[in-house]
Amino acid sequence: MKVSRILPALALIIFLGLTSCSTESVAEDSINSIEVPVAPVAKQIEIEIMELINQHRILEGLNPLNDHRTVKAVAYTHTDYMIEVDNVSHDNFFQRKQSLQANASAAIVSENVAYGFSNAESVVGAWLNSPSHKDNIEGDFTDFDISAEQNNEGKWYFTNIFIKR
């Protein structure tokens, strides 16, 4: 393979590997080039989580949030990553934020993550009992979506992303 074909791909891999959560600006061309995968079909547990969150928001006098396929696709990539590295985290949040700014017109992006809960009620209950997670659920957002995936042992991992457009 020619070096001229390898260098651009290698540069992209290095760039993505070195980018961390920060407020540094990135050239708009690189933000617009972030590809979003196709979102998987919603699972029953994901639908239930979204319904519980919207029910809570309505009870608090807040607007219900709209589901958003691009948000779901980005959430899915992070859930898949957490399963792959066997760690619950907000790793690479800045990249997800950039992707949603470029591909979903997001002005504000926030997320909740979780692991090990076996049903929608338990994970939403845990988030509502945590002040920072509850702040996200009750935040000034317009759209959201969730990814819930199981690892090989059947343990659930969750990524819930909120955006304001």
Side-chain angles (χ1 to χ4, degrees):
M1 194 173 226
K2 291 185 176 184
V3 172
S4 62
R5 288 186 175 171
I6 295 173
L7 285 179
L10 184 58
L12 180 62
I13 290 169
I14 291 170
F15 171 76
L16 292 176
L18 295 178
T19 303
S20 64
C21 293
S22 71
T23 58
E24 295 175 12
S25 62
V26 177
E28 189 164 327
D29 288 343
S30 65
I31 292 173
N32 290 333
S33 68
I34 297 171
E35 290 187 34
V36 176
V38 175
V41 175
K43 295 175 189 65
Q44 186 61 37
I45 192 169
E46 295 167 335
I47 294 166
E48 291 171 8
I49 291 168
M50 292 171 59
E51 288 174 350
L52 288 170
I53 288 172
N54 270 338
Q55 287 172 8
H56 175 80
R57 289 179 62 86
I58 291 167
L59 287 173
E60 294 297 314
L62 303 168
N63 64 301
L65 302 175
N66 301 306
D67 60 314
H68 196 289
R69 298 294 294 164
T70 303
V71 173
K72 180 169 189 56
V74 172
Y76 172 76
T77 63
H78 185 59
T79 304
D80 192 46
Y81 165 82
M82 291 191 301
I83 290 171
E84 183 180 320
V85 299
D86 192 27
N87 186 43
V88 178
S89 71
H90 294 285
D91 290 355
N92 308 309
F93 174 75
F94 187 65
Q95 292 170 350
R96 288 188 297 288
K97 179 181 175 182
Q98 287 180 321
S99 179
L100 291 167
Q101 288 170 328
N103 298 296
S105 302
I108 300 171
V109 179
S110 192
E111 74 180 11
N112 289 342
V113 296
Y115 162 80
F117 296 94
S118 59
N119 59 54
E121 293 82 7
S122 62
V123 70
V124 172
W127 283 333
L128 290 173
N129 285 322
S130 163
S132 61
H133 294 96
K134 185 177 180 181
D135 286 348
N136 286 339
I137 289 172
E138 295 177 355
D140 183 19
F141 299 107
T142 56
D143 305 272
F144 74 140
D145 223 308
I146 186 152
S147 169
E149 298 294 329
Q150 290 178 295
N151 67 7
N152 291 334
E153 291 80 41
K155 297 286 185 182
W156 285 99
Y157 286 74
F158 304 89
T159 303
N160 186 195
I161 298 180
F162 304 85
I163 67 169
K164 181 176 182 175
R165 295 190 288 159

